[in-house]
Amino acid sequence: MLSYRHSFHAGNHADVLKHTVQSLIITALKEKEKPFLYLDTHAGAGRYQLSGEHAERTGEYLEGIARVWQQSDLPEELAPYISCVKALNHGPTLRYYPGSPLIARQLLREEDKLELTELHPSDFPLLRSEFQKDSRARLARADGFQQLKAKLPPPSRRGLILIDPPYEMKSDYQAVVKGIQEGYRRFSTGVFALWYPVVLRQQIKRMVHDLEATGIRRILQIELAVRPDSDRFGMTASGMIVINPPWKLEQQMNNVLPWLHRVLVPAGTGHTSVSWIVPE
Ligand code: SAM
């Protein structure tokens, strides 16, 4: 089943959280000279046109990136992320939104590598055309979960693995845990970042429980909710689960989340949290 298109949701509050975390991890990895791999298991199309039919139909970005990108008191933790949004929009009008591969492309160095996987027959060609001239990148129209076995460990022995499935199928909640377990077995020093939506809280509780049961340590959970949990109103929150987070990430997210929540949710509903599922 491949009915999910990220173009309907690009730039929403969940993307703002995900891409903030992604950009802070990449920035931390760049503090060491040694190159690293960025592996994106579910890469999407790369670039999203916000004036396009899909984005306009839902208008989700209007309650996401549109509220954030031109604020005058932007916290420093958002600087790498917002620099990517600005690099794609030459001027004051928000026309395009960078997906995770374009954020990585903008922030990675010449010596770093990208491995990008996308399965959708319409989105894969769009992604491929974005990266045609980038010799750092390798693209595959393949199953992202398989890449956690096929591409790890990277020769550089350093890397960020972003796992961002659409959760169209309920089995994705189990597949992500199995995939992480397989990837971690091959590359236990990698930084693994898993995105999740909160649609039914019980599904997330079960997924977190399954992750705990793997025995993996150093698992940080970061969440931003725009509404209280509910079983009736679709996605009320989203989060990032990060294994082996850079040491500053916990503090950085504690600094920036109250600001993000205030700007993204003027009504003040929902919550933010940063907590360890499993500590050191
Ligand atoms: N990571 C992207 C970003 O932040 O810009 C968004 C990705 S979107 C949430 C999920 C993507 O996974 C969709 O484009 C979908 O076509 C793709 N997809 C679904 N199943 C897949 C699979 N088994 N392997 C790889 N890609 C898959």
Side-chain angles (χ1 to χ4, degrees):
M1 185 165 66
L2 277 172
S3 50
Y4 180 92
R5 302 294 304 278
H6 197 63
S7 44
F8 288 99
H9 311 289
N12 67 4
H13 63 83
D15 264 7
V16 172
L17 177 71
K18 179 197 344 174
H19 297 146
T20 298
V21 171
Q22 178 198 2
S23 62
L24 287 171
I25 297 172
I26 291 176
T27 304
L29 284 168
K30 289 198 300 185
E31 283 174 8
K32 287 196 183 142
E33 255 178 48
K34 208 170 165 236
F36 61 89
L37 170 72
Y38 171 76
L39 168 59
D40 201 326
T41 59
H42 298 70
R47 176 191 301 252
Y48 300 97
Q49 198 180 341
L50 296 175
S51 59
E53 188 205 330
H54 291 184
E56 289 216 319
R57 185 154 358 137
T58 62
E60 289 186 20
Y61 76 97
L62 295 170
E63 296 181 352
I65 187 60
R67 287 188 172 158
V68 173
W69 81 302
Q70 280 180 326
Q71 294 285 343
S72 54
D73 62 339
L74 216 56
E76 62 177 323
E77 289 82 3
L78 292 180
Y81 164 48
I82 297 300
S83 74
C84 298
V85 178
K86 289 194 170 157
L88 213 54
N89 292 279
H90 310 286
T93 310
L94 187 59
R95 293 180 204 280
Y96 298 105
Y97 186 75
S100 51
L102 264 59
I103 287 179
R105 179 174 77 186
Q106 180 76 16
L107 296 178
L108 260 56
R109 303 161 298 188
E110 198 47 48
E111 61 275 26
D112 300 321
K113 300 270 181 261
L114 299 94
E115 292 274 2
L116 310 172
T117 310
E118 170 56 47
L119 211 46
H120 199 284
S122 305
D123 284 344
F124 182 73
L126 297 172
L127 183 69
R128 192 175 44 198
S129 69
E130 283 289 340
F131 281 88
Q132 234 155 23
K133 293 190 184 129
D134 194 329
S135 59
R136 302 170 302 176
R138 290 216 324 224
L139 280 76
R141 184 164 174 222
D143 175 25
F145 293 120
Q146 287 302 322
Q147 304 299 82
L148 294 165
K149 289 194 265 187
K151 302 292 179 192
L152 299 179
S156 61
R157 294 292 196 278
R158 299 186 73 219
L160 165 61
I161 298 101
L162 180 69
I163 306 164
D164 184 19
Y167 297 92
E168 270 183 297
M169 295 178 288
K170 286 209 184 92
S171 57
D172 274 355
Y173 293 94
Q174 282 92 51
V176 292
V177 177
K178 188 162 167 271
I180 286 175
Q181 215 171 357
E182 279 164 347
Y184 188 87
R185 202 176 297 137
R186 290 164 174 80
F187 184 37
S188 63
T189 53
V191 182
F192 292 80
L194 168 68
W195 179 84
Y196 66 87
V198 181
V199 178
L200 293 174
R201 176 61 68 181
Q202 206 48 39
Q203 284 169 325
I204 303 308
K205 283 192 175 157
R206 204 170 308 132
M207 186 181 79
V208 166
H209 176 267
D210 291 349
L211 260 178
E212 274 178 296
T214 62
I216 297 174
R217 304 204 63 82
R218 298 198 70 223
I219 311 182
L220 186 68
Q221 182 174 16
I222 299 158
E223 193 169 293
L224 191 157
V226 297
R227 287 192 297 278
D229 288 354
S230 156
D231 55 7
R232 277 177 296 160
F233 297 114
M235 181 173 72
T236 57
S238 72
M240 291 289 278
I241 290 177
V242 186
I243 297 171
N244 295 326
W247 66 274
K248 280 190 284 192
L249 188 67
E250 179 185 11
Q251 188 59 55
Q252 288 173 316
M253 293 312 297
N254 273 319
N255 293 345
V256 76
L257 276 178
W259 185 94
L260 266 183
H261 188 255
R262 184 159 29 83
V263 171
L264 287 171
V265 197
T269 51
H271 66 262
T272 64
S273 63
V274 181
S275 59
W276 290 93
I277 294 174
V278 186
E280 201 71 51

